Amino acid sequence: MARPRKKDPQVGNRSDAGIPGLPSELISKIDPALPKTAQVYGIMRDAIVNLHLAPGSNVNEKLICQQLGISRTPLREAILQLQAENLVSVVPNSGTYVSKIDLQSVFDGQLVRDALELKVVRLAASRMTPQFERAIDFNIHQQKRMAADQDYDGFYALDEAFHAMICAFGASAHIWKIINGAKAQLDRVRRLSIPLPSHLDVVLSEHIAVVDGLKLRDPDQAAGAMKVHIDRVFTMIRRHIVERRDYFSTDAGSVLDTYVNGRGV
């Protein structure tokens, strides 16, 4: 008699039929000449954060290996890294699943952003140069194009580049690596918000407000605009929990209430 599969409480009820693989734009990123594990990790993380692999879905390891033209070893090594970030859950005798969004991890990532990005944008404002002003203006110009085209993936990539540029200029690229490593769960909430009506325009206006503070060499104004921008995630979380309940861990509602009450918002 077949042994029954164990179920992870964070995994939705899904059949193996129609389990998705990776989108073509991510498959094309693999470079056979470079070490595989780091590439596979980056591609898988991108697919999870951008919701190409939905929370609760089964990770079809065989299909992904076929798509990327790799053996199981680099994928398994990448999965171990993703498991350490709580982005996947490996269930014995069942399979690997994309983890549901853990709200406590979302708030942890937000605290890291709040602590580091507000400091870094102040530093960037105090040491602003014409060269960086041109670079950040070009990024904003590209964001406007993506917003006009409703290119969600393109806009999100430029949003990330915007924050990475400020971190690298204000402090170092290493600071952005620290922030990026802490905010994977938060990024999935941010990515959920992007297709909402007028969301791109609001984010763009917030980015422009940050740039205005930078151009004025005003650390307080730049940091104030950045604070408004990164805190807006709190206005979106409750809506997402209601509309996409299947994407969140079972304790999401109680974690949100506890956090909001403790934060006084």
Side-chain angles (χ1 to χ4, degrees):
M1 183 175 177
R3 190 174 176 179
R5 287 185 167 191
K6 296 181 181 178
K7 283 192 175 182
D8 185 335
Q10 300 301 326
V11 175
N13 294 322
R14 298 174 182 268
S15 67
D16 288 342
I19 296 172
L22 299 172
S24 57
E25 62 266 26
L26 292 183
I27 297 170
S28 64
K29 288 185 176 182
I30 196 78
D31 185 343
L34 297 176
K36 299 292 190 303
T37 298
Q39 292 188 82
V40 175
Y41 163 76
I43 289 169
M44 292 294 294
R45 191 180 192 277
D46 195 352
I48 292 169
V49 167
N50 282 288
L51 306 176
H52 296 304
L53 297 178
S57 64
N58 188 301
V59 177
N60 190 330
E61 294 185 29
K62 181 178 179 181
L63 174 59
I64 289 171
C65 287
Q66 291 173 347
Q67 288 181 308
L68 296 178
I70 60 172
S71 68
R72 286 287 181 96
T73 299
L75 179 58
R76 292 281 173 82
E77 291 173 348
I79 284 172
L80 288 176
Q81 295 180 55
L82 295 167
Q83 187 178 21
E85 293 183 61
N86 198 24
L87 288 175
V88 300
S89 175
V90 180
V91 184
N93 304 314
S94 178
T96 301
Y97 299 87
V98 178
S99 299
K100 298 292 185 78
I101 298 172
D102 175 59
L103 217 53
Q104 185 58 58
S105 296
V106 170
F107 295 141
D108 290 346
Q110 184 70 7
L111 286 172
V112 172
R113 291 195 78 185
D114 192 69
L116 293 179
E117 287 203 63
L118 297 187
K119 178 65 174 178
V120 166
V121 78
R122 285 180 174 276
L123 293 171
S126 67
R127 60 181 63 161
M128 196 68 177
T129 64
Q131 293 83 357
F132 185 69
E133 186 171 323
R134 287 193 293 270
I136 206 79
D137 277 343
F138 183 64
N139 176 276
I140 292 292
H141 171 71
Q142 291 177 303
Q143 287 185 47
K144 289 177 180 177
R145 287 180 50 209
M146 295 299 171
D149 293 342
Q150 295 289 288
D151 184 337
Y152 302 135
D153 287 346
F155 187 91
Y156 181 78
L158 287 167
D159 185 339
E160 290 289 277
F162 174 82
H163 290 275
M165 288 169 65
I166 293 172
C167 283
F169 178 72
S172 72
H174 180 65
I175 296 297
W176 179 247
K177 289 182 180 179
I178 294 172
I179 294 170
N180 197 49
K183 68 183 184 69
Q185 299 284 352
L186 172 62
D187 286 344
R188 292 201 285 176
V189 174
R190 292 172 57 221
R191 192 59 182 79
L192 267 177
S193 301
I194 283 183
L196 296 177
S198 302
H199 182 80
L200 297 187
D201 293 334
V202 172
V203 172
L204 180 56
S205 68
E206 291 171 350
H207 285 170
I208 291 171
V210 173
V211 172
D212 288 344
L214 291 172
K215 288 181 177 180
L216 289 171
R217 279 65 170 171
D218 187 332
D220 289 338
Q221 182 172 328
M226 183 67 82
K227 178 70 172 174
V228 169
H229 173 54
I230 65 178
D231 275 2
R232 199 163 61 80
V233 68
F234 295 112
T235 68
M236 309 306 302
I237 288 175
R238 195 175 296 278
R239 173 175 180 172
H240 292 320
I241 291 175
V242 171
E243 294 181 354
R244 296 313 308 256
R245 190 69 192 85
D246 57 321
Y247 275 13
F248 289 84
S249 57
T250 54
D251 64 350
S254 60
V255 172
L256 176 60
D257 289 339
T258 299
Y259 189 88
V260 168
N261 290 336
R263 192 169 177 267
V265 296

